[in-house]
Amino acid sequence: MAAELFPTKKPAPVSTQTSGSAVQQYQQQNISNNNTIQGCNWQGLYPSIRERNSVMFNNELMADVHFVVGPPGGTQRVPGHKYVLAVGSSVFHAMFYGELAEDKEEIRIPDVEPPSFLAMLKYIYCDEIDLCADTVLATLYAAKKYIVPHLARACVSFLETSLSARNACVLLSQSCLFEEPELTQRCWEVIDAQAELALRSDGFCDIDAPTLESILRRETLNAKETALFDAALRWAEAECGRQGIVPSAEKKREALGKALYLIRVPAMPLDDFANGPAQSGVLTLAETNDVFLWHTAARKPSLLFVREARAGLAPQRCHRFQSCAYRSNQWRYRGRCDSIQFAVDRRVFVAGFGLYGSSCGSAEYSARIELKRQGVTLGVSVAKYFSDGSSSTFPVWFEHPVQIEPDTFHTASVVLDGNELSYFGQEGMTEVQCGKVTFQFQCSSDSTNGTGVQGGQIPELVFYA
C-alpha cells in the first residue's frame, strides 16, 4: 500500500549527515571480510565516535545479537550490538538491560519490514535519516514501536511535505493509527479543500471502515454529494474484493453498513439523484420512493439519511490593491497576458482569481486563468464571466483547487479578451496578511500587458487554508 501513496516523482532521500557515503564506502571496501577488519587499525581512520559507530552498522563484527526481521518467507537476518541499540532506544534498553531482559541471541520481528528496520538502525548507529516514499510509513511504524522519537518526527515531516489529494485519505487513516494529530489535521486540510480529487484517488479505496465513516461524516468537504456516493460505492466494491465476495449491489450495501446513511442523499439535486443513487440498486425501493417524495411532496417523509447539505469550506480572498481606477489610464486586454508572482508561508489551495470588469457599463469577458510553479502548469481554466460595470471583482474558478506549497514563488496569469475598458488596481502591496497566511508578491516576466506589483489585473487570489 505504501508504494501507492506517492504516485508522482519520488522525493530525494533525506539525510542529516553528509559523511555517511564515506563510511559505507569503507565498509564495502574493507569490512566485507571480518578477518580483514580484525587485522587492520580501522578505528584510527575515523576521528569521531559517530563515525566509528557507523562502521558497526549492519556489521557482524562484535555483533552480540541478531534479528530475524520480516514476515515468514521474506525475512532478513540483521546483526546488532546491544550497547549501541540500548543507547538509541528505551525499548532496546529494556529488552537487553532491563529487569525482565532475556539473553536471546536471536530475536524475531515479524511485523516490521527489513528495509524499514535497517532505516531505523541506520539512524541509531549513524545519526542519518534516509527516507523514501516506499518505506516511510513502515519506518514510522518501526520508530513508534521502538520509541525513536526524532526519527518518528522526521517521518511525519516527510509525509506532511509529500501530502497531496492522491494520498491524503490513506495518510489520514495511518495518522490516526499512529496517533499523529498534526498529520491528521494536515490531511483534513487537503481532503476538505480538494475533496473530489481525494475521493477519486486510488488510495481512497484502501482506507478502513472507520476512516470512511469519518470522511462521509465531514461537514466541511468541498464536494458534490454525488461524488461522495460514487466514491463510497467504489470503496464498497474494493471491500467486497478484499473479502472475496462478488460485488453485487446488495453486497456493496452490506459492506457500507451504517456509513450509507452518512451520505446526504436528500441534499442532492433531484436530477443527480434520479440518474445516480436511484438507479444504483444500493438503495431499497422504499428509500428511493421516500427521497423522491422528499423532493416533490408537500408532506415529506422521515428519512434515515442526513438531509441538510454540507457547509463546505468558506473561501478566503487575498486582495493585493488598496484602490482601483479607470480614468487615469485606459486599460485594455486584447488577448495579452497579465501575470503576477506570489508566495505563501503555509500550504493553501487556490480556488480561483477575482478579476476586474468593465468600467463602461456591463460587458462579458472570456478569461483563461493559469497557475504555474517554475514553469510547470499546476492548474488552468477557461471561462466566461459577466461584469456589471461596477468596480467589484468577479471570480473565475479552477475546476479543482490547486495546492500551493509554502516558501516557493508561483505564477498567477490571466489572458482576458473583452472590448470594453476595464478597472485596474493601484497602490499594490508586496505583502498581504490574510488570516494566518502571509502572501508576498513580485513582478512576473510572463506579464505582457502591464500588470505588476503596483498595479494592474488579478486583484484577488481566492483560496482555502
Side-chain angles (χ1 to χ4, degrees):
M1 184 186 301
E4 299 176 356
L5 295 179
F6 307 91
T8 53
K9 184 178 179 182
K10 297 176 183 177
V14 178
S15 178
T16 59
Q17 301 288 343
T18 58
S19 59
S21 59
V23 174
Q24 293 169 357
Q25 194 174 43
Y26 178 80
Q27 285 180 317
Q28 293 172 357
Q29 293 176 354
N30 298 301
I31 307 180
S32 59
N33 187 321
N34 285 340
N35 293 328
T36 301
I37 188 173
Q38 291 172 355
C40 70
N41 181 25
W42 62 269
Q43 294 91 338
L45 298 176
Y46 303 104
S48 71
I49 186 65
R50 189 197 68 79
E51 291 173 301
R52 292 192 290 276
N53 273 346
S54 297
V55 174
M56 294 295 98
F57 167 61
N58 200 21
N59 195 325
E60 291 286 350
L61 179 66
M62 295 187 290
D64 51 2
V65 67
H66 286 81
F67 302 94
V68 179
V69 186
T75 61
Q76 180 175 339
R77 197 167 188 266
V78 179
H81 307 78
K82 293 181 179 179
Y83 168 75
V84 178
L85 294 168
V87 169
S89 160
S90 60
V91 174
F92 284 130
H93 182 272
M95 186 184 298
F96 301 134
Y97 300 104
E99 294 180 358
L100 301 178
E102 297 183 19
D103 190 20
K104 291 182 179 179
E105 293 184 359
E106 189 173 272
I107 298 171
R108 295 188 176 275
I109 307 177
D111 59 333
V112 178
E113 295 292 335
S116 299
F117 189 77
L118 286 170
M120 180 181 67
L121 293 195
K122 188 171 187 180
Y123 171 73
I124 292 175
Y125 278 80
C126 310
D127 200 26
E128 293 181 30
I129 299 176
D130 277 350
L131 300 175
C132 67
D134 290 343
T135 60
V136 62
L137 277 175
T139 303
L140 176 58
Y141 173 77
K144 288 278 188 177
K145 177 176 180 177
Y146 292 99
I147 312 181
V148 187
H150 297 290
L151 177 60
R153 282 196 290 271
C155 291
V156 172
S157 178
F158 183 98
L159 291 170
E160 288 182 351
T161 302
S162 307
L163 184 60
S164 71
R166 294 186 177 186
N167 58 28
C169 293
V170 173
L171 291 183
L172 174 67
S173 177
Q174 296 297 318
S175 67
C176 295
L177 176 66
F178 292 133
E179 298 181 342
E180 288 290 342
E182 291 188 8
L183 179 58
T184 299
Q185 178 58 32
R186 298 291 183 273
C187 291
W188 278 126
E189 289 174 1
V190 174
I191 294 170
D192 280 343
Q194 296 183 307
E196 294 197 4
L197 289 176
L199 294 170
R200 294 175 190 171
S201 67
D202 293 336
F204 178 81
C205 294
D206 295 327
I207 62 178
D208 54 25
T211 303
L212 172 69
E213 291 183 14
S214 67
I215 292 174
L216 296 180
R217 193 178 286 113
R218 188 78 171 172
E219 181 69 26
T220 46
L221 293 178
N222 272 351
K224 295 179 180 178
E225 212 63 35
T226 48
L228 282 159
F229 184 84
D230 292 342
L233 288 192
R234 287 195 304 108
W235 181 90
E237 184 173 349
E239 181 64 16
C240 288
R242 288 188 283 268
Q243 297 180 16
I245 300 172
V246 176
S248 64
E250 180 182 358
K251 293 301 181 182
K252 289 180 186 178
R253 182 186 176 99
E254 290 180 9
L256 287 171
K258 62 182 180 180
L260 176 64
Y261 296 106
L262 299 175
I263 304 171
R264 305 187 180 191
V265 174
M268 296 179 185
L270 185 56
D271 287 349
D272 288 351
F273 172 72
N275 293 313
Q279 299 184 46
S280 67
V282 173
L283 304 185
T284 66
L285 290 176
E287 287 169 342
T288 301
N289 183 65
D290 284 347
V291 174
F292 274 120
L293 290 176
W294 172 267
H295 278 281
T296 58
R299 184 179 179 182
K300 300 184 183 301
S302 61
L303 298 171
L304 292 176
F305 297 98
V306 179
R307 299 182 297 273
E308 295 78 17
R310 298 174 198 272
L313 282 181
Q316 302 181 52
R317 295 173 181 267
C318 174
H319 198 91
R320 67 187 190 92
F321 296 126
Q322 299 181 71
S323 65
C324 66
Y326 67 93
R327 295 187 184 279
S328 57
N329 290 294
Q330 292 186 346
W331 196 281
R332 291 184 182 274
Y333 300 110
R334 301 191 183 93
R336 291 181 293 189
C337 180
D338 287 287
S339 183
I340 192 72
Q341 287 193 322
F342 70 96
V344 290
D345 61 349
R346 58 168 292 181
R347 177 184 284 136
V348 300
F349 303 87
V350 172
F353 304 158
L355 304 175
Y356 287 126
S358 169
S359 60
C360 301
S362 60
E364 186 178 66
Y365 287 88
S366 174
R368 183 185 188 276
I369 61 174
E370 185 176 21
L371 270 173
K372 293 190 295 186
R373 180 180 64 233
Q374 298 176 347
V376 177
T377 298
L378 304 179
V380 63
S381 179
V382 177
K384 293 182 182 295
Y385 70 95
F386 184 78
S387 164
D388 60 6
S390 71
S391 60
S392 302
T393 57
F394 304 92
V396 177
W397 307 94
F398 292 105
E399 181 181 3
H400 302 289
V402 179
Q403 181 171 313
I404 301 297
E405 295 301 326
D407 305 320
T408 301
F409 273 96
H410 294 69
T411 303
S413 301
V414 59
V415 176
L416 281 163
D417 193 6
N419 294 325
E420 302 299 326
L421 298 177
S422 171
Y423 287 92
F424 59 94
Q426 293 186 141
E427 300 179 276
M429 296 173 283
T430 57
E431 184 173 296
V432 180
Q433 186 75 30
C434 294
K436 297 180 180 179
V437 185
T438 300
F439 286 79
Q440 290 184 325
F441 294 95
Q442 66 181 27
C443 293
S444 168
S445 60
D446 291 348
S447 190
T448 59
N449 199 43
T451 288
V453 173
Q454 296 301 317
Q457 255 291 356
I458 317 181
E460 286 181 341
L461 297 177
V462 186
F463 68 99
Y464 302 109

